[in-house]
Amino acid sequence: PTDPPAPSPGDPGATVLLPPAGLKVLVEQREITLVPGGDPVSIEVHIFNLSRVVDAYSVSIDRGPQWLQVGAPEVRLLPGTAEKVPLTMNIPRGPLVFAQSVRLPIWVRSRANAAVGFQTWLDITVPIIESPVDVRLEPSLIRPRPGIDGVCQALVDNRAGNGPLKVVFSGSDPERGITFTFTPPVLDVPPGTQAGCRIRLRAPAPEPGQSL
């Protein structure tokens, strides 16, 4: 096979950490998106055995998060041969995984010589998954009277969401008689949590001899 080009010393995504004699690795795709509970995503790791011995190579991701599931077969190469190894990753259904971006090391290691290895980097993005916003009022029925405000709480539940929520509150009354005060008027709810907003309602007294 044609001798592949060596990684550029200035390329931060492809750094040979150990003696490269006999081993070269190419990874073209360095950014992937993984959806929790979605289909697995694979990238190809191109391994070149430039040594004079038959060697086996393992592909792994070191220090990966617990929510990441990784699978890659070990490849055995004759001298002067090359092969593409699929590195498959997915996030299985289970505990909530927050939206985030992480950079993880991909390692290719020689089985015949522990001193020979190659490291590169992979950027993984976990996107925000759109989910319904659950809001409930406690209590859901109040009876404000003139001079006595009604108070309730709006509880925003984001425990099933993997991304942050920004909730803006407003209120309206068809007769335009009740005024609303929200504390706070804008609520930031981190993923996997819930938060509340205090709502104060004030009803004005009717004019003498009139009902409202």
Side-chain angles (χ1 to χ4, degrees):
T2 303
D3 187 14
S8 170
D11 182 2
T15 304
V16 179
L17 297 185
L18 298 176
L23 171 65
K24 287 187 178 179
V25 178
L26 295 178
V27 180
E28 295 181 357
Q29 186 176 357
R30 302 187 187 280
E31 298 180 359
I32 65 171
T33 298
L34 289 181
V35 178
D39 296 332
V41 176
S42 294
I43 63 173
E44 290 185 339
V45 181
H46 205 172
I47 303 174
F48 298 80
N49 180 6
L50 305 181
S51 70
R52 298 180 180 180
V53 298
V54 178
D55 202 349
Y57 301 93
S58 64
V59 182
S60 63
I61 290 183
D62 291 359
R63 305 189 305 275
Q66 294 184 351
W67 46 260
L68 180 64
Q69 193 170 68
V70 181
E74 186 174 281
V75 61
R76 188 175 181 86
L77 298 178
L78 296 173
T81 63
E83 188 171 330
K84 293 181 179 180
V85 177
L87 178 64
T88 303
M89 293 151 286
N90 72 297
I91 303 176
R93 297 185 183 275
L96 182 67
V97 178
F98 295 164
Q100 58 188 291
S101 294
V102 295
R103 171 166 287 188
L104 300 175
I106 298 177
W107 268 101
V108 178
R109 292 183 173 92
S110 165
R111 294 295 191 186
N113 187 351
V116 174
F118 183 93
Q119 185 193 51
T120 186
W121 297 94
L122 177 67
D123 292 322
I124 298 177
T125 299
V126 180
I128 295 178
I129 300 176
E130 298 294 337
S131 58
V133 179
D134 184 16
V135 182
R136 65 179 183 272
L137 296 178
E138 297 178 350
S140 60
L141 176 64
I142 58 176
R143 298 182 183 277
R145 293 177 295 169
I148 301 178
D149 295 346
V151 177
C152 66
Q153 183 182 43
L155 192 62
V156 181
D157 193 342
N158 193 27
R159 289 176 294 182
N162 75 329
L165 288 178
K166 182 181 289 291
V167 183
V168 180
F169 292 92
S170 65
S172 63
D173 168 27
E175 298 182 358
R176 300 181 180 179
I178 296 179
T179 58
F180 301 81
T181 302
F182 302 94
T183 307
V186 179
L187 190 63
D188 292 313
V189 189
T193 66
Q194 57 182 351
C197 167
R198 181 181 175 87
I199 305 176
R200 183 178 295 274
L201 301 93
R202 176 166 296 179
E207 296 293 334
Q210 297 182 358
S211 62
L212 178 66

PDB file of all heavy atoms in Angstrom, residues 16-40:
ATOM      1  N   VAL A  16       0.937  12.176  17.511  1.00  0.00           N
ATOM      2  CA  VAL A  16       1.608  10.913  17.799  1.00  0.00           C
ATOM      3  C   VAL A  16       2.320  11.074  19.132  1.00  0.00           C
ATOM      4  O   VAL A  16       3.260  11.847  19.247  1.00  0.00           O
ATOM      5  CB  VAL A  16       2.609  10.551  16.681  1.00  0.00           C
ATOM      6  CG1 VAL A  16       3.318   9.248  17.012  1.00  0.00           C
ATOM      7  CG2 VAL A  16       1.890  10.421  15.347  1.00  0.00           C
ATOM      8  N   LEU A  17       1.875  10.346  20.136  1.00  0.00           N
ATOM      9  CA  LEU A  17       2.448  10.494  21.467  1.00  0.00           C
ATOM     10  C   LEU A  17       3.604   9.537  21.718  1.00  0.00           C
ATOM     11  O   LEU A  17       4.450   9.800  22.559  1.00  0.00           O
ATOM     12  CB  LEU A  17       1.359  10.276  22.527  1.00  0.00           C
ATOM     13  CG  LEU A  17       0.200  11.279  22.510  1.00  0.00           C
ATOM     14  CD1 LEU A  17      -0.725  11.013  23.682  1.00  0.00           C
ATOM     15  CD2 LEU A  17       0.713  12.703  22.564  1.00  0.00           C
ATOM     16  N   LEU A  18       3.609   8.403  21.037  1.00  0.00           N
ATOM     17  CA  LEU A  18       4.635   7.403  21.263  1.00  0.00           C
ATOM     18  C   LEU A  18       5.371   7.159  19.941  1.00  0.00           C
ATOM     19  O   LEU A  18       4.922   7.611  18.885  1.00  0.00           O
ATOM     20  CB  LEU A  18       3.998   6.113  21.786  1.00  0.00           C
ATOM     21  CG  LEU A  18       3.286   6.256  23.139  1.00  0.00           C
ATOM     22  CD1 LEU A  18       2.613   4.954  23.520  1.00  0.00           C
ATOM     23  CD2 LEU A  18       4.255   6.676  24.226  1.00  0.00           C
ATOM     24  N   PRO A  19       6.511   6.467  19.957  1.00  0.00           N
ATOM     25  CA  PRO A  19       7.288   6.287  18.726  1.00  0.00           C
ATOM     26  C   PRO A  19       6.416   5.786  17.571  1.00  0.00           C
ATOM     27  O   PRO A  19       5.779   4.744  17.669  1.00  0.00           O
ATOM     28  CB  PRO A  19       8.335   5.245  19.127  1.00  0.00           C
ATOM     29  CG  PRO A  19       8.504   5.449  20.593  1.00  0.00           C
ATOM     30  CD  PRO A  19       7.150   5.829  21.115  1.00  0.00           C
ATOM     31  N   PRO A  20       6.363   6.536  16.454  1.00  0.00           N
ATOM     32  CA  PRO A  20       5.458   6.184  15.369  1.00  0.00           C
ATOM     33  C   PRO A  20       5.994   5.115  14.428  1.00  0.00           C
ATOM     34  O   PRO A  20       5.308   4.765  13.479  1.00  0.00           O
ATOM     35  CB  PRO A  20       5.313   7.518  14.623  1.00  0.00           C
ATOM     36  CG  PRO A  20       6.629   8.194  14.824  1.00  0.00           C
ATOM     37  CD  PRO A  20       7.103   7.790  16.195  1.00  0.00           C
ATOM     38  N   ALA A  21       7.229   4.637  14.655  1.00  0.00           N
ATOM     39  CA  ALA A  21       7.807   3.664  13.730  1.00  0.00           C
ATOM     40  C   ALA A  21       6.894   2.447  13.620  1.00  0.00           C
ATOM     41  O   ALA A  21       6.580   1.797  14.616  1.00  0.00           O
ATOM     42  CB  ALA A  21       9.193   3.253  14.217  1.00  0.00           C
ATOM     43  N   GLY A  22       6.468   2.148  12.405  1.00  0.00           N
ATOM     44  CA  GLY A  22       5.664   0.961  12.173  1.00  0.00           C
ATOM     45  C   GLY A  22       4.177   1.163  12.291  1.00  0.00           C
ATOM     46  O   GLY A  22       3.416   0.244  12.007  1.00  0.00           O
ATOM     47  N   LEU A  23       3.716   2.349  12.699  1.00  0.00           N
ATOM     48  CA  LEU A  23       2.280   2.549  12.889  1.00  0.00           C
ATOM     49  C   LEU A  23       1.888   3.945  12.434  1.00  0.00           C
ATOM     50  O   LEU A  23       2.518   4.927  12.823  1.00  0.00           O
ATOM     51  CB  LEU A  23       1.888   2.364  14.354  1.00  0.00           C
ATOM     52  CG  LEU A  23       0.444   2.754  14.733  1.00  0.00           C
ATOM     53  CD1 LEU A  23      -0.558   1.843  14.026  1.00  0.00           C
ATOM     54  CD2 LEU A  23       0.259   2.714  16.238  1.00  0.00           C
ATOM     55  N   LYS A  24       0.856   3.999  11.618  1.00  0.00           N
ATOM     56  CA  LYS A  24       0.251   5.273  11.264  1.00  0.00           C
ATOM     57  C   LYS A  24      -1.258   5.109  11.273  1.00  0.00           C
ATOM     58  O   LYS A  24      -1.786   4.051  10.917  1.00  0.00           O
ATOM     59  CB  LYS A  24       0.741   5.762   9.900  1.00  0.00           C
ATOM     60  CG  LYS A  24       2.179   6.254   9.942  1.00  0.00           C
ATOM     61  CD  LYS A  24       2.607   6.895   8.643  1.00  0.00           C
ATOM     62  CE  LYS A  24       4.047   7.405   8.763  1.00  0.00           C
ATOM     63  NZ  LYS A  24       4.528   8.026   7.492  1.00  0.00           N
ATOM     64  N   VAL A  25      -1.938   6.181  11.695  1.00  0.00           N
ATOM     65  CA  VAL A  25      -3.389   6.135  11.852  1.00  0.00           C
ATOM     66  C   VAL A  25      -3.979   7.399  11.241  1.00  0.00           C
ATOM     67  O   VAL A  25      -3.458   8.502  11.444  1.00  0.00           O
ATOM     68  CB  VAL A  25      -3.789   6.029  13.341  1.00  0.00           C
ATOM     69  CG1 VAL A  25      -5.310   6.036  13.491  1.00  0.00           C
ATOM     70  CG2 VAL A  25      -3.194   4.773  13.968  1.00  0.00           C
ATOM     71  N   LEU A  26      -5.082   7.230  10.528  1.00  0.00           N
ATOM     72  CA  LEU A  26      -5.822   8.357   9.964  1.00  0.00           C
ATOM     73  C   LEU A  26      -7.275   8.269  10.420  1.00  0.00           C
ATOM     74  O   LEU A  26      -7.906   7.231  10.297  1.00  0.00           O
ATOM     75  CB  LEU A  26      -5.758   8.340   8.434  1.00  0.00           C
ATOM     76  CG  LEU A  26      -4.376   8.544   7.794  1.00  0.00           C
ATOM     77  CD1 LEU A  26      -4.488   8.445   6.280  1.00  0.00           C
ATOM     78  CD2 LEU A  26      -3.768   9.866   8.201  1.00  0.00           C
ATOM     79  N   VAL A  27      -7.779   9.378  10.954  1.00  0.00           N
ATOM     80  CA  VAL A  27      -9.190   9.497  11.334  1.00  0.00           C
ATOM     81  C   VAL A  27      -9.713  10.770  10.690  1.00  0.00           C
ATOM     82  O   VAL A  27      -9.339  11.870  11.093  1.00  0.00           O
ATOM     83  CB  VAL A  27      -9.374   9.538  12.866  1.00  0.00           C
ATOM     84  CG1 VAL A  27     -10.864   9.651  13.212  1.00  0.00           C
ATOM     85  CG2 VAL A  27      -8.773   8.299  13.517  1.00  0.00           C
ATOM     86  N   GLU A  28     -10.551  10.637   9.673  1.00  0.00           N
ATOM     87  CA  GLU A  28     -11.021  11.802   8.942  1.00  0.00           C
ATOM     88  C   GLU A  28     -12.147  12.529   9.674  1.00  0.00           C
ATOM     89  O   GLU A  28     -12.207  13.754   9.672  1.00  0.00           O
ATOM     90  CB  GLU A  28     -11.479  11.386   7.549  1.00  0.00           C
ATOM     91  CG  GLU A  28     -10.355  10.843   6.668  1.00  0.00           C
ATOM     92  CD  GLU A  28     -10.842  10.475   5.281  1.00  0.00           C
ATOM     93  OE1 GLU A  28     -12.063  10.599   5.044  1.00  0.00           O
ATOM     94  OE2 GLU A  28     -10.010  10.074   4.455  1.00  0.00           O
ATOM     95  N   GLN A  29     -13.052  11.793  10.292  1.00  0.00           N
ATOM     96  CA  GLN A  29     -14.193  12.413  10.972  1.00  0.00           C
ATOM     97  C   GLN A  29     -13.857  12.595  12.446  1.00  0.00           C
ATOM     98  O   GLN A  29     -13.626  11.623  13.167  1.00  0.00           O
ATOM     99  CB  GLN A  29     -15.449  11.545  10.817  1.00  0.00           C
ATOM    100  CG  GLN A  29     -16.714  12.188  11.376  1.00  0.00           C
ATOM    101  CD  GLN A  29     -17.947  11.345  11.123  1.00  0.00           C
ATOM    102  OE1 GLN A  29     -17.872  10.299  10.487  1.00  0.00           O
ATOM    103  NE2 GLN A  29     -19.090  11.801  11.604  1.00  0.00           N
ATOM    104  N   ARG A  30     -13.861  13.837  12.898  1.00  0.00           N
ATOM    105  CA  ARG A  30     -13.478  14.136  14.281  1.00  0.00           C
ATOM    106  C   ARG A  30     -14.601  14.773  15.077  1.00  0.00           C
ATOM    107  O   ARG A  30     -14.391  15.146  16.232  1.00  0.00           O
ATOM    108  CB  ARG A  30     -12.250  15.043  14.299  1.00  0.00           C
ATOM    109  CG  ARG A  30     -11.042  14.453  13.579  1.00  0.00           C
ATOM    110  CD  ARG A  30      -9.822  15.325  13.776  1.00  0.00           C
ATOM    111  NE  ARG A  30      -8.706  14.856  12.961  1.00  0.00           N
ATOM    112  CZ  ARG A  30      -7.919  13.842  13.290  1.00  0.00           C
ATOM    113  NH1 ARG A  30      -8.138  13.201  14.419  1.00  0.00           N
ATOM    114  NH2 ARG A  30      -6.929  13.480  12.504  1.00  0.00           N
ATOM    115  N   GLU A  31     -15.772  14.931  14.487  1.00  0.00           N
ATOM    116  CA  GLU A  31     -16.912  15.516  15.190  1.00  0.00           C
ATOM    117  C   GLU A  31     -18.160  14.688  14.896  1.00  0.00           C
ATOM    118  O   GLU A  31     -18.475  14.422  13.746  1.00  0.00           O
ATOM    119  CB  GLU A  31     -17.143  16.968  14.756  1.00  0.00           C
ATOM    120  CG  GLU A  31     -15.982  17.901  15.069  1.00  0.00           C
ATOM    121  CD  GLU A  31     -16.261  19.309  14.615  1.00  0.00           C
ATOM    122  OE1 GLU A  31     -17.354  19.542  14.033  1.00  0.00           O
ATOM    123  OE2 GLU A  31     -15.408  20.183  14.813  1.00  0.00           O
ATOM    124  N   ILE A  32     -18.867  14.277  15.954  1.00  0.00           N
ATOM    125  CA  ILE A  32     -20.110  13.528  15.781  1.00  0.00           C
ATOM    126  C   ILE A  32     -21.156  14.055  16.761  1.00  0.00           C
ATOM    127  O   ILE A  32     -20.829  14.732  17.740  1.00  0.00           O
ATOM    128  CB  ILE A  32     -19.919  12.010  15.998  1.00  0.00           C
ATOM    129  CG1 ILE A  32     -19.514  11.728  17.461  1.00  0.00           C
ATOM    130  CG2 ILE A  32     -18.904  11.431  15.039  1.00  0.00           C
ATOM    131  CD1 ILE A  32     -19.521  10.241  17.798  1.00  0.00           C
ATOM    132  N   THR A  33     -22.410  13.745  16.454  1.00  0.00           N
ATOM    133  CA  THR A  33     -23.525  14.080  17.333  1.00  0.00           C
ATOM    134  C   THR A  33     -24.213  12.794  17.760  1.00  0.00           C
ATOM    135  O   THR A  33     -24.570  11.965  16.913  1.00  0.00           O
ATOM    136  CB  THR A  33     -24.532  15.001  16.612  1.00  0.00           C
ATOM    137  OG1 THR A  33     -23.876  16.229  16.255  1.00  0.00           O
ATOM    138  CG2 THR A  33     -25.714  15.315  17.513  1.00  0.00           C
ATOM    139  N   LEU A  34     -24.392  12.637  19.063  1.00  0.00           N
ATOM    140  CA  LEU A  34     -25.053  11.449  19.615  1.00  0.00           C
ATOM    141  C   LEU A  34     -26.330  11.868  20.324  1.00  0.00           C
ATOM    142  O   LEU A  34     -26.297  12.699  21.234  1.00  0.00           O
ATOM    143  CB  LEU A  34     -24.125  10.721  20.593  1.00  0.00           C
ATOM    144  CG  LEU A  34     -22.922   9.973  20.016  1.00  0.00           C
ATOM    145  CD1 LEU A  34     -22.133   9.306  21.139  1.00  0.00           C
ATOM    146  CD2 LEU A  34     -23.366   8.925  18.997  1.00  0.00           C
ATOM    147  N   VAL A  35     -27.445  11.270  19.910  1.00  0.00           N
ATOM    148  CA  VAL A  35     -28.736  11.539  20.538  1.00  0.00           C
ATOM    149  C   VAL A  35     -28.997  10.458  21.587  1.00  0.00           C
ATOM    150  O   VAL A  35     -28.914   9.265  21.276  1.00  0.00           O
ATOM    151  CB  VAL A  35     -29.864  11.545  19.490  1.00  0.00           C
ATOM    152  CG1 VAL A  35     -31.210  11.781  20.157  1.00  0.00           C
ATOM    153  CG2 VAL A  35     -29.593  12.612  18.437  1.00  0.00           C
ATOM    154  N   PRO A  36     -29.281  10.831  22.846  1.00  0.00           N
ATOM    155  CA  PRO A  36     -29.568   9.813  23.862  1.00  0.00           C
ATOM    156  C   PRO A  36     -30.707   8.898  23.426  1.00  0.00           C
ATOM    157  O   PRO A  36     -31.776   9.352  23.037  1.00  0.00           O
ATOM    158  CB  PRO A  36     -29.962  10.653  25.091  1.00  0.00           C
ATOM    159  CG  PRO A  36     -29.267  11.959  24.890  1.00  0.00           C
ATOM    160  CD  PRO A  36     -29.273  12.191  23.406  1.00  0.00           C
ATOM    161  N   GLY A  37     -30.435   7.582  23.463  1.00  0.00           N
ATOM    162  CA  GLY A  37     -31.423   6.605  23.048  1.00  0.00           C
ATOM    163  C   GLY A  37     -31.561   6.470  21.548  1.00  0.00           C
ATOM    164  O   GLY A  37     -32.422   5.713  21.084  1.00  0.00           O
ATOM    165  N   GLY A  38     -30.730   7.187  20.773  1.00  0.00           N
ATOM    166  CA  GLY A  38     -30.824   7.141  19.322  1.00  0.00           C
ATOM    167  C   GLY A  38     -29.952   6.053  18.714  1.00  0.00           C
ATOM    168  O   GLY A  38     -29.380   5.200  19.413  1.00  0.00           O
ATOM    169  N   ASP A  39     -29.848   6.070  17.387  1.00  0.00           N
ATOM    170  CA  ASP A  39     -29.070   5.063  16.671  1.00  0.00           C
ATOM    171  C   ASP A  39     -27.567   5.259  16.907  1.00  0.00           C
ATOM    172  O   ASP A  39     -27.102   6.396  17.087  1.00  0.00           O
ATOM    173  CB  ASP A  39     -29.351   5.137  15.169  1.00  0.00           C
ATOM    174  CG  ASP A  39     -30.796   4.798  14.829  1.00  0.00           C
ATOM    175  OD1 ASP A  39     -31.403   4.029  15.608  1.00  0.00           O
ATOM    176  OD2 ASP A  39     -31.295   5.296  13.807  1.00  0.00           O
ATOM    177  N   PRO A  40     -26.804   4.157  16.904  1.00  0.00           N
ATOM    178  CA  PRO A  40     -25.352   4.270  17.050  1.00  0.00           C
ATOM    179  C   PRO A  40     -24.737   5.034  15.872  1.00  0.00           C
ATOM    180  O   PRO A  40     -25.282   5.048  14.771  1.00  0.00           O
ATOM    181  CB  PRO A  40     -24.881   2.815  17.086  1.00  0.00           C
ATOM    182  CG  PRO A  40     -26.090   2.017  17.450  1.00  0.00           C
ATOM    183  CD  PRO A  40     -27.255   2.749  16.870  1.00  0.00           C
TER     184      PRO A  40
END
